[in-house]
Amino acid sequence: MNFTLSHEQQLLQDSAARFVREHGRFEDWQKACVDKRAYIKENWQKMAELGWLAISVPEDLGGLGGSAIDTMVLMEQFGKGLAREPYVSTCIIGSTLLQHACSDIKEQRLNAIMMGECRIALGLGEPLGHFNLEYVEMTAKAQSGGYQLSGEKSHVPDGSTADWYILPARTSGAVDDPDGITLFLVSANALGLVRKNFRSPDQRHVSSLVLHNVAVSDTAVIGTIGGGLALLEMAVDHAIAASLAEALGIMEAACSVTLDYLKTRQQFGVTIGSFQVLQHRMVDMVIACEEARSMTYYATENLSSPSHVRTRAISAAKTRVGQNALFVGQQAIQLHGGIGTSDEHIVSHYLKRLVMFELSFGNIDFHRQRYASLGTACSDQK
């Protein structure tokens, strides 16, 4: 597979790498966590000034019209700095779905996102959902001029700082029916919406939402009534591809930190990197990163493929990169020894982030099963 970047993409990579070096220092990350900040607002505004928040917005809507490869290049560098800015939630999922909103909402919200003045969060997780996008218990009852939403979303990444939520709700059908799901844009200040905030092990800010007869207008509908699942799957697949690139960046950073440690840590009068068994383990980590890079490119390049091809490629990549991510993170901890488990060392946070990556948007077992079922479906179609 060709990993060659265009000249413009190389410039973007260099710019993002410099940004992480200057504004993504581990000390600043630690301070933000201690201060209980969900992200560093100054960094978010700098991203807006650099145009990064407009990459996924088409040119005819005022954006840069960037490709999925552009996003991949950016996310890989963000991973190396453990960036907690809500880029995937707002600029991947939010920007992708808002393009299917009514014209006024689309223009207002996308412009606000590109200016760094609006953050979006997608409410997927439900108590009994188990990663299945078609499982939606939240209901949307039609009323004069709009709908009333009632139900619960148990896991909303970046929900604590979101100005707007995109929520799948059921306008018809059973709770696990693929038809009858509609996407709604709901204000974080909506009457009847109750939010509870908490932090995940990797210091990401997550929320749970309870809605009781929350009124929204007809203009809050994204896409078509009852046909939201296809849009939702497309947006989540784009988010997974971006997360793969982020995980790749974390894995490479973990390898770099571990290699430096092996070259400097001494035992029995010699550096431990001179021990052949540790050299072999380091090589295995590097190979795992290269496998992850191949699968990340494979998934990213298939985002524009037909839906069944795209989804199968995403599940294949999520499975393999998830396996390799856990391997690299665990090996980095083991090669560092006890110091690697401490909060004061960045390698422990690499592992925590990689563990949460494996769980996000479906874990290894879920995507392995989805990959197999999609293969069966494709064979049946033939």
Side-chain angles (χ1 to χ4, degrees):
M1 185 172 290
N2 183 14
F3 291 164
T4 304
L5 301 176
S6 68
H7 177 65
E8 291 77 11
Q9 289 163 349
Q10 289 175 348
L11 292 176
L12 177 62
Q13 185 182 61
D14 293 342
S15 178
R18 183 169 59 252
F19 178 88
V20 169
R21 286 195 303 270
E22 295 176 357
H23 306 290
R25 292 182 293 270
F26 182 51
E27 306 79 45
D28 297 332
W29 185 92
Q30 286 177 307
K31 187 177 186 304
C33 292
V34 171
D35 295 341
K36 299 181 179 180
R37 287 187 285 168
Y39 67 99
I40 299 176
K41 294 181 179 180
E42 295 80 5
N43 286 357
W44 186 251
Q45 198 56 48
K46 287 184 178 71
M47 290 179 185
E49 294 168 2
L50 290 165
W52 295 345
L53 307 189
I55 284 181
S56 298
V57 180
E59 291 182 2
D60 60 353
L61 293 175
L64 298 180
S67 68
I69 298 294
D70 297 331
T71 300
M72 182 195 71
V73 169
L74 203 59
M75 289 301 301
E76 182 180 346
Q77 299 306 316
F78 288 170
K80 293 178 180 180
L82 288 175
R84 294 189 301 146
E85 283 67 35
Y87 194 87
V88 171
S89 296
T90 298
C91 301
I92 307 298
I93 297 175
S95 295
T96 298
L97 290 177
L98 284 171
Q99 294 173 37
H100 301 272
C102 70
S103 57
D104 289 343
I105 297 295
K106 174 167 53 180
E107 182 179 353
Q108 292 172 8
R109 298 279 73 79
L110 287 177
N111 284 337
I113 286 174
M114 291 185 286
M115 295 293 291
E117 298 171 352
C118 174
R119 286 160 297 281
I120 307 290
L122 175 65
L124 279 183
E126 294 201 0
L128 301 177
H130 304 297
F131 303 126
N132 293 316
L133 298 183
E134 65 268 22
Y135 188 97
V136 177
E137 287 191 51
M138 179 171 284
T139 60
K141 296 181 179 179
Q143 62 176 10
S144 178
Y147 294 83
Q148 279 191 341
L149 275 61
S150 296
E152 180 180 355
K153 298 296 181 182
S154 57
H155 188 81
V156 184
D158 302 315
S160 66
T161 59
D163 303 295
W164 295 85
Y165 299 111
I166 296 177
L167 304 178
R170 189 160 292 284
T171 47
S172 64
V175 293
D176 57 353
D177 192 340
D179 296 320
I181 298 172
T182 305
L183 305 181
F184 294 91
L185 183 65
V186 181
S187 170
N189 298 318
L191 186 65
L193 186 152
V194 178
R195 179 176 71 193
K196 181 179 180 181
N197 302 325
F198 53 97
R199 281 193 286 180
S200 57
D202 61 346
Q203 298 296 328
R204 295 291 180 100
H205 285 230
V206 185
S207 300
S208 62
L209 306 178
V210 176
L211 281 73
H212 181 68
N213 294 331
V214 173
V216 296
S217 67
D218 289 330
T219 59
V221 173
I222 295 176
T224 60
I225 300 295
L229 182 60
L231 275 181
L232 191 60
E233 290 176 335
M234 180 265 295
V236 169
D237 283 348
H238 277 74
I240 291 174
S243 298
L244 293 173
E246 179 187 7
L248 174 62
I250 298 171
M251 292 165 66
E252 291 187 331
C255 280
S256 178
V257 169
T258 303
L259 182 59
D260 289 342
Y261 182 76
L262 295 182
K263 289 179 178 179
T264 56
R265 175 74 165 91
Q266 290 197 345
Q267 196 171 31
F268 308 117
V270 296
T271 57
I272 61 176
S274 64
F275 301 151
Q276 192 174 54
V277 65
L278 300 189
Q279 293 174 7
H280 289 172
R281 291 173 68 176
M282 191 70 235
V283 169
D284 289 340
M285 291 173 64
V286 173
I287 291 174
C289 286
E290 289 306 307
E291 286 184 2
R293 180 173 295 280
S294 296
M295 293 305 295
T296 298
Y297 268 76
Y298 170 67
T300 303
E301 290 187 342
N302 274 287
L303 285 175
S304 58
S305 300
S307 59
H308 66 281
V309 176
R310 179 199 72 219
T311 302
R312 199 161 189 254
I314 288 292
S315 283
K318 184 66 162 64
T319 299
R320 190 56 183 154
V321 176
Q323 292 168 334
N324 286 8
L326 293 181
F327 172 78
V328 168
Q330 291 164 354
Q331 289 297 310
I333 292 289
Q334 290 186 9
L335 291 175
H336 275 84
I339 191 176
T341 64
S342 67
D343 279 346
E344 288 73 24
H345 202 293
I346 194 171
V347 75
S348 68
H349 299 285
Y350 286 151
L351 176 59
K352 290 174 185 176
R353 180 65 197 128
L354 291 173
V355 168
M356 296 309 296
F357 155 76
E358 191 272 328
L359 292 172
S360 65
F361 302 114
N363 60 12
I364 291 171
D365 290 338
F366 173 82
H367 281 282
R368 184 188 289 117
Q369 292 171 7
R370 188 170 80 152
Y371 178 83
S373 65
L374 287 168
T376 303
C378 292
S379 299
D380 292 343
Q381 290 175 1
K382 293 179 181 179

